[in-house]
Amino acid sequence: MRLLTLNINMFNYLIDNSFYDYLHEINPDLAIIQEARFNRLKETAYSTIFPNGYDKDKIKSTIHLTVALCKEDWKRDDSFNFERYNYSHIRLKKNTCVILGVHTPKIEKNELNLFEQFYSANIICGDFNTSSKNTESSNYKLYQKLIDKGYCNLWETALCNEKAYYCNYKGEKLQADKDGFFRTFSGNTHIDYVLGKSDLEIKEIIIDYRTLAFTDHTSIIIDVEDNKCY
């Protein structure tokens, strides 16, 4: 299974179709897209799954959504309610696999208990809006709690196993040095993650800097063995 996660805030594909050209090139089985606007999405070969509570007749076109673009028969799982975060989180299920796409704005301290429902997902991916530069933030504490609950940062796991790569601005795929720093945001921080259980078998994971041409985040692309997620 090939999974793509990308925050497309500030994207300009309406001018030059950059995002959809890129999506076609990467050809993921499933793409989790954060900070999308429903009125800027196009009909493609991918089915669009909107988050729980979405109703285009009742929300402003400026509202940012986390959506899933999928080729296969993924279903939205509404068994959990993220309350004010419903638009920015999406749970997907196929057979026994649960994937959670997230975009977590600033979390208040008294809201951390809302995210206990994260723990049942096989893979959690998206923009956590946190990095090790701010370990006191509630967002980082959520990230750390997930690690404590048995999730692995799959980028770091892949680095240790020489399965981590990055694409430079020329589109060249290069081996990532495990001692190097690889940002996922134009602010020179690593705030986007793919987390998973330790039994996931990673084929490769890629941070792709080419997406900085049309948004302020890099994409993360991960290939995992299907039998580990289904």
Side-chain angles (χ1 to χ4, degrees), residues 177-208:
D177 181 347
K178 65 180 181 179
D179 295 321
F181 170 73
F182 298 89
R183 62 177 178 154
T184 66
F185 179 60
S186 60
N188 205 32
T189 55
H190 190 122
I191 62 176
D192 304 87
Y193 303 94
V194 181
L195 307 181
K197 299 295 188 178
S198 58
D199 60 347
L200 280 173
E201 187 174 340
I202 304 169
K203 295 180 182 178
E204 67 175 12
I205 187 168
I206 304 166
I207 288 178
D208 194 339

Side-chain angles (χ1 to χ4, degrees), residues 56-74:
K56 70 177 182 179
D57 296 323
K58 295 182 180 179
I59 67 171
K60 296 179 180 178
S61 61
T62 55
I63 296 293
H64 287 162
L65 308 171
T66 296
V67 302
L69 305 177
C70 58
K71 289 182 176 180
E72 300 179 353
D73 192 25
W74 289 90

